[in-house]
Amino acid sequence: MTVGAVLLGAVTTHAANYLLERTRTRNQLLTRWDDKKIDAYSEYVDAVKMRIAASARLYEVREGLREDHRPEADLSEEVAEVSRRWGSAFERVMLLGGDDAIEAGHELNTVVSEIVWQATGQITGTLAEWRERHRTAFRKINVFHEAARADLGIQGSVTGEKHPERDLLLPPSRQPSPGQ
């Protein structure tokens, strides 16, 4: 009887330790992947914004809205370089991201590509269309943020009643006139 109690105690202790260790390891893995996802998501959004900013510089120089000391060819190369960084960043999202975040990224990529295409002259459009593409891109960034936050289990929202939609920030001399 005593031997049975000792064996039962040993088996119970072993099982409890095994389950605790397995739970601890699983939690460490989840935390490690969450850290990598946060890095991937934030790097991707940063790359998207850099791609938009580089495209805006090129577009504004091409359209005579801004002067820049760099030649147009250098600005085009900058767009190409940030586009390479963006591509790598999105690959990390594809590898680590949740389904909704990946889909939101695809939708965002479509709009940002249109911005790049208009900046490089691959498609034409008015200044009003250019600005609407930017508005859409920043709405899609918020959709991506929402999907990334949900994937990471982060409570709260970046849109909605507490966070109303905001328009583009334009300097006073660049405010669009009605119809722009």
Side-chain angles (χ1 to χ4, degrees), residues 146 149 154-158:
E146 292 288 353
R149 290 169 60 91
I154 298 172
Q155 294 180 349
S157 176
V158 295

Side-chain angles (χ1 to χ4, degrees), residues 41 44-45 93 101 104-105 108 140-149:
Y41 290 155
Y44 168 68
V45 170
V93 170
L108 174 56
K140 296 290 183 181
I141 288 171
N142 284 340
V143 170
F144 180 81
H145 282 141
E146 292 288 353
R149 290 169 60 91

Side-chain angles (χ1 to χ4, degrees), residues 122-142:
Q122 293 172 316
I123 62 173
T124 59
T126 65
L127 182 58
E129 290 169 324
W130 171 254
R131 288 183 173 143
E132 188 53 38
R133 285 186 171 107
H134 281 263
R135 286 180 180 98
T136 302
F138 285 99
R139 282 192 299 269
K140 296 290 183 181
I141 288 171
N142 284 340

Side-chain angles (χ1 to χ4, degrees), residues 65-147:
L65 301 171
R66 168 198 285 209
E67 291 184 21
D68 198 300
H69 67 281
R70 296 172 291 172
E72 194 175 309
D74 289 354
L75 296 171
S76 293
E77 180 53 38
E78 181 184 5
V79 171
E81 180 59 37
V82 296
S83 292
R84 286 187 286 277
R85 178 175 176 225
W86 156 83
S88 295
F90 189 63
E91 285 299 319
R92 289 190 69 205
V93 170
M94 293 283 292
L95 289 170
L96 298 169
D99 291 342
D100 291 342
I102 291 170
E103 189 55 36
H106 280 301
E107 291 177 14
L108 174 56
N109 292 345
T110 299
V111 176
V112 174
S113 292
E114 291 174 3
I115 290 171
V116 173
W117 296 335
Q118 188 171 351
T120 58
Q122 293 172 316
I123 62 173
T124 59
T126 65
L127 182 58
E129 290 169 324
W130 171 254
R131 288 183 173 143
E132 188 53 38
R133 285 186 171 107
H134 281 263
R135 286 180 180 98
T136 302
F138 285 99
R139 282 192 299 269
K140 296 290 183 181
I141 288 171
N142 284 340
V143 170
F144 180 81
H145 282 141
E146 292 288 353

Side-chain angles (χ1 to χ4, degrees), residues 156-172:
S157 176
V158 295
T159 59
E161 288 181 23
K162 290 187 178 185
H163 306 286
E165 188 171 315
R166 290 168 173 81
D167 199 9
L168 295 177
L169 296 177
L170 300 171

Side-chain angles (χ1 to χ4, degrees), residues 9-25:
V11 167
T12 303
T13 299
H14 176 71
N17 285 338
Y18 172 78
L19 291 173
L20 286 172
E21 185 64 26
R22 194 172 107 189
T23 300
R24 187 176 68 83
T25 301

